[in-house]
Amino acid sequence: MSFSFNFDVQLTTKGQQGEESKSQTGKQDYAVKPVPGNNNTTTPAETVKAAVEHHPPAEPHFLLNDAVCETVTIGTLPPLHFLNESVFERTASERDDDERILSRTAAQSSDLISGVYEGGLKVWECTYDLLELLEREGETFGGKMVLDLGCGAGLLGLLALKSGASQVHFQDYNSTVIEQLTLPNALLNCQVEGEEEEVNGKKRGLQEEDDETIIEEDKMKKDEEAKSDEEKNEQKKEGEDGSPSPKRQALDLSQHSKLTCCRFFSGDWTTFLALVLKEDLFPKYDIIFTSETIYNTAYYSALHDTLHRLLAPRGVVYLATKAHYFGVGGGLHLFEQFIEDKGVFDMEKLWDVDQGLQRHVVAMHFKTTNKS
């Protein structure tokens, strides 16, 4: 199976002992969501985080100003582009952050502060496991409604978006994650795909050229020569390694046809569910993705209720998780027992990953008598 990263800058991650590490396959070895100090408990915060829907700004270009991007390619899946994690962390002080999670996580050297920040700024390794499984199993998304629950960078939802899903909704606990990471990543992928389609269209035109297309080509050549030196340099920079330009200018939102298929939400699962259910025709999702979200047993009830109310009768939940989250207490066995006790879903193990810490990908469907 092909699995490759295209980095604009060198990216390293810290293992549990602090060493920089990468697996021999080129896939990054991400640490378990830790519980530094006394900041993380299995008890949720007393106050809930109200759900909010976030809309792309009218002039979105600033979201990608000075952006440094990565591209991950897995087998035959479309390339997925996202903001580089290391650079994002180093520029945290320059970003809007009403929640102050960027400064707090930096000050406490923490990837998780329960009830405050739930780890959405990192791409955790189980997300890559699920991407690999989807590529191997050939899951299709054409015309389907998809929810990326606890989305973080949004790679799973972005895969669905680029693979023909009719609607993709992204949810994360933190508004800063949605505004500073998920939304820019969606914008980036929509823009890159638009540019790729434009290039491919030109290639097809050249293959079928006749006298009229030759004349048109001459006109295009003249127009190209008239472009400013700055535009030419930007195009050259984009073409050097095939990755998105670090200083990409966003197109007008009206050109982002796929971005109009997206919705973005922040808040805890209880308030998110309540917000969605207020709609006259609230969505029922054909596919719900959720990765690395069962580390805290205190959140199981809210997660279960959300899946129960929002999954379509014949829908599927794809859950990627570690077997156990040391120091936090959650894991697949406890969640599996929770699901069994509720009696709403059947759970099917799809893949047991033995590399490093034991990880799993499972699918959940409604039991035959529970399709509400």
Side-chain angles (χ1 to χ4, degrees), residues 55-69 83 88 95-96 178-188 246 248 250 253 259:
H55 302 281
E59 297 182 359
H61 62 275
F62 71 88
L63 292 176
L64 299 179
N65 282 348
D66 300 316
V68 178
C69 309
L83 299 185
F88 189 97
R95 300 178 181 277
D96 294 333
I178 292 292
E179 294 175 349
Q180 296 294 323
L181 186 61
T182 319
L183 239 170
N185 285 346
L187 183 66
L188 178 64
R248 188 181 297 281
L253 271 178
L259 195 60

Coordinates of all heavy atoms in Angstrom, one line a residue, residues 55-69 83 88 95-96 178-188 246 248 250 253 259:
H55 N -19.1 30.0 9.8 CA -19.3 30.2 8.4 C -18.0 30.8 7.8 O -17.3 31.6 8.4 CB -20.4 31.2 8.1 CG -21.7 30.7 8.6 ND1 -22.5 29.8 8.0 CD2 -22.4 31.1 9.7 CE1 -23.6 29.6 8.7 NE2 -23.6 30.4 9.7
P56 N -17.6 30.3 6.6 CA -16.4 30.9 6.0 C -16.5 32.4 5.8 O -17.6 32.9 5.5 CB -16.3 30.2 4.6 CG -17.2 29.0 4.8 CD -18.2 29.3 5.7
P57 N -15.5 33.1 6.1 CA -15.5 34.6 5.9 C -15.8 35.0 4.5 O -15.4 34.3 3.6 CB -14.2 35.1 6.4 CG -13.3 33.9 6.2 CD -14.1 32.7 6.5
A58 N -16.3 36.2 4.3 CA -16.6 36.7 2.9 C -15.3 36.8 2.1 O -15.3 36.6 0.9 CB -17.3 38.0 3.0
E59 N -14.2 37.1 2.8 CA -12.9 37.3 2.1 C -12.0 36.3 2.8 O -11.3 36.7 3.8 CB -12.4 38.7 2.2 CG -13.3 39.7 1.4 CD -12.7 41.1 1.4 OE1 -11.7 41.3 2.1 OE2 -13.4 42.0 0.9
P60 N -11.9 35.0 2.4 CA -11.2 34.0 3.1 C -9.7 34.0 2.9 O -9.0 33.1 3.5 CB -11.9 32.7 2.6 CG -12.2 33.1 1.2 CD -12.6 34.5 1.2
H61 N -9.2 34.8 2.0 CA -7.8 34.7 1.7 C -6.8 34.8 2.9 O -5.8 34.1 2.9 CB -7.4 35.7 0.6 CG -7.5 37.1 1.1 ND1 -8.7 37.8 1.0 CD2 -6.6 38.0 1.6 CE1 -8.5 39.0 1.5 NE2 -7.3 39.2 1.9
F62 N -7.2 35.6 3.9 CA -6.3 35.7 5.0 C -6.1 34.5 5.8 O -5.1 34.3 6.5 CB -6.9 36.8 6.0 CG -8.1 36.4 6.8 CD1 -7.9 35.8 8.0 CD2 -9.3 36.7 6.3 CE1 -9.1 35.4 8.7 CE2 -10.5 36.3 7.0 CZ -10.3 35.7 8.2
L63 N -7.0 33.5 5.7 CA -6.9 32.2 6.4 C -5.7 31.5 5.9 O -5.1 30.6 6.7 CB -8.1 31.4 6.2 CG -9.4 31.9 6.9 CD1 -10.6 31.0 6.5 CD2 -9.3 31.9 8.4
L64 N -5.2 31.7 4.7 CA -4.1 31.0 4.2 C -2.8 31.9 4.0 O -1.9 31.4 3.4 CB -4.5 30.4 2.8 CG -5.6 29.4 2.9 CD1 -5.9 28.9 1.5 CD2 -5.3 28.2 3.8
N65 N -2.9 33.1 4.5 CA -1.7 33.9 4.4 C -0.5 33.3 5.1 O -0.6 32.9 6.3 CB -2.0 35.3 5.1 CG -2.8 36.2 4.1 OD1 -3.0 35.9 3.0 ND2 -3.3 37.3 4.7
D66 N 0.6 33.2 4.5 CA 1.8 32.7 5.0 C 1.7 31.3 5.5 O 2.4 30.8 6.4 CB 2.3 33.6 6.2 CG 2.6 35.0 5.7 OD1 3.3 35.1 4.6 OD2 2.3 36.0 6.4
A67 N 0.7 30.5 4.9 CA 0.5 29.2 5.4 C 1.6 28.2 4.9 O 2.0 28.4 3.7 CB -0.9 28.7 4.9
V68 N 2.0 27.3 5.7 CA 2.9 26.2 5.3 C 2.1 24.9 5.4 O 1.6 24.6 6.4 CB 4.2 26.1 6.2 CG1 5.0 25.0 5.8 CG2 4.9 27.5 6.2
C69 N 2.1 24.2 4.2 CA 1.2 23.1 4.1 C 1.9 21.8 4.0 O 3.0 21.7 3.6 CB 0.2 23.3 2.9 SG -0.6 24.9 2.9
L83 N -2.6 22.3 7.0 CA -1.6 23.1 7.5 C -0.6 22.4 8.4 O -1.0 21.5 9.1 CB -2.3 24.2 8.4 CG -3.3 25.1 7.7 CD1 -3.8 26.2 8.7 CD2 -2.7 25.8 6.4
F88 N 2.3 25.6 12.7 CA 1.1 26.1 13.3 C 1.4 26.4 14.8 O 1.0 27.4 15.3 CB 0.0 25.1 13.2 CG -1.4 25.6 13.6 CD1 -2.3 26.1 12.7 CD2 -1.7 25.5 15.0 CE1 -3.5 26.5 13.2 CE2 -3.0 26.0 15.4 CZ -3.9 26.5 14.5
R95 N -2.1 34.1 16.1 CA -3.4 33.7 15.7 C -4.5 34.1 16.6 O -4.3 34.3 17.8 CB -3.4 32.1 15.5 CG -2.4 31.6 14.5 CD -2.5 30.1 14.4 NE -1.5 29.6 13.5 CZ -1.7 29.5 12.2 NH1 -2.8 29.9 11.7 NH2 -0.7 29.1 11.4
D96 N -5.7 34.3 16.1 CA -6.9 34.6 16.9 C -7.2 33.4 17.7 O -7.3 32.3 17.2 CB -8.0 35.0 16.0 CG -7.8 36.4 15.3 OD1 -7.0 37.2 15.8 OD2 -8.4 36.5 14.2
I178 N -11.7 24.9 14.8 CA -12.5 25.0 13.5 C -12.1 26.2 12.7 O -11.9 26.1 11.5 CB -14.0 25.2 13.9 CG1 -14.6 23.9 14.5 CG2 -14.8 25.6 12.7 CD1 -14.6 22.7 13.5
E179 N -11.9 27.4 13.4 CA -11.6 28.6 12.7 C -10.2 28.7 12.2 O -9.9 29.2 11.1 CB -11.9 29.8 13.6 CG -13.3 30.0 13.9 CD -13.6 31.1 14.9 OE1 -12.6 31.6 15.5 OE2 -14.8 31.4 15.1
Q180 N -9.2 28.1 12.9 CA -7.8 28.3 12.6 C -7.2 27.1 11.9 O -6.1 27.2 11.3 CB -7.0 28.6 13.8 CG -7.4 29.9 14.5 CD -7.0 31.1 13.7 OE1 -6.0 31.1 13.0 NE2 -7.8 32.1 13.7
L181 N -7.9 25.9 11.9 CA -7.4 24.7 11.3 C -8.3 24.0 10.3 O -8.0 23.9 9.1 CB -7.0 23.7 12.4 CG -6.2 22.5 11.9 CD1 -4.9 22.8 11.3 CD2 -6.0 21.6 13.1
T182 N -9.5 23.7 10.8 CA -10.4 22.9 9.9 C -10.9 23.7 8.7 O -10.8 23.2 7.5 CB -11.7 22.5 10.7 OG1 -11.3 22.0 12.0 CG2 -12.4 21.4 10.0
L183 N -11.4 24.9 8.9 CA -11.9 25.8 7.8 C -10.8 26.1 6.8 O -11.0 25.9 5.6 CB -12.5 27.0 8.4 CG -13.9 27.3 8.1 CD1 -14.5 28.5 8.9 CD2 -14.1 27.6 6.6
P184 N -9.6 26.5 7.3 CA -8.5 26.7 6.3 C -8.1 25.5 5.5 O -7.9 25.6 4.3 CB -7.3 27.2 7.2 CG -8.0 27.8 8.4 CD -9.2 27.0 8.6
N185 N -8.2 24.3 6.2 CA -7.8 23.1 5.4 C -8.9 22.8 4.4 O -8.6 22.3 3.3 CB -7.8 21.9 6.4 CG -6.5 21.9 7.2 OD1 -5.5 22.6 6.9 ND2 -6.5 21.1 8.3
A186 N -10.2 23.0 4.7 CA -11.2 22.8 3.7 C -11.0 23.8 2.5 O -11.2 23.4 1.4 CB -12.6 23.0 4.3
L187 N -10.8 25.0 2.8 CA -10.5 26.0 1.8 C -9.4 25.7 0.9 O -9.4 25.7 -0.3 CB -10.3 27.4 2.5 CG -10.1 28.6 1.5 CD1 -11.4 28.9 0.8 CD2 -9.7 29.8 2.4
L188 N -8.3 25.2 1.6 CA -7.1 24.8 0.8 C -7.4 23.7 -0.1 O -7.0 23.7 -1.3 CB -6.0 24.4 1.8 CG -4.7 23.9 1.3 CD1 -4.0 25.0 0.6 CD2 -3.8 23.4 2.4
P246 N 2.8 28.1 -0.2 CA 2.7 28.6 1.1 C 1.9 29.9 1.2 O 1.4 30.2 2.3 CB 4.2 28.8 1.6 CG 4.9 27.9 0.7 CD 4.2 27.9 -0.7
R248 N -0.7 31.0 -0.8 CA -1.8 30.8 -1.8 C -2.9 31.9 -1.5 O -3.3 32.1 -0.4 CB -2.4 29.4 -1.6 CG -3.4 29.1 -2.7 CD -3.9 27.7 -2.4 NE -2.8 26.7 -2.4 CZ -2.3 26.2 -3.6 NH1 -2.8 26.6 -4.7 NH2 -1.4 25.3 -3.5
A250 N -6.7 32.8 -1.8 CA -8.0 32.1 -1.9 C -8.8 32.7 -3.0 O -8.8 33.9 -3.2 CB -8.7 32.1 -0.6
L253 N -15.3 32.9 -2.9 CA -16.1 31.8 -2.4 C -17.1 31.2 -3.4 O -17.4 30.0 -3.3 CB -16.8 32.2 -1.1 CG -16.1 32.0 0.2 CD1 -16.9 32.6 1.4 CD2 -15.7 30.6 0.4
L259 N -17.0 23.9 -1.2 CA -17.1 24.5 0.1 C -18.5 24.8 0.5 O -18.8 24.8 1.7 CB -16.2 25.8 0.1 CG -15.9 26.4 1.5 CD1 -15.1 25.4 2.3 CD2 -15.1 27.7 1.4

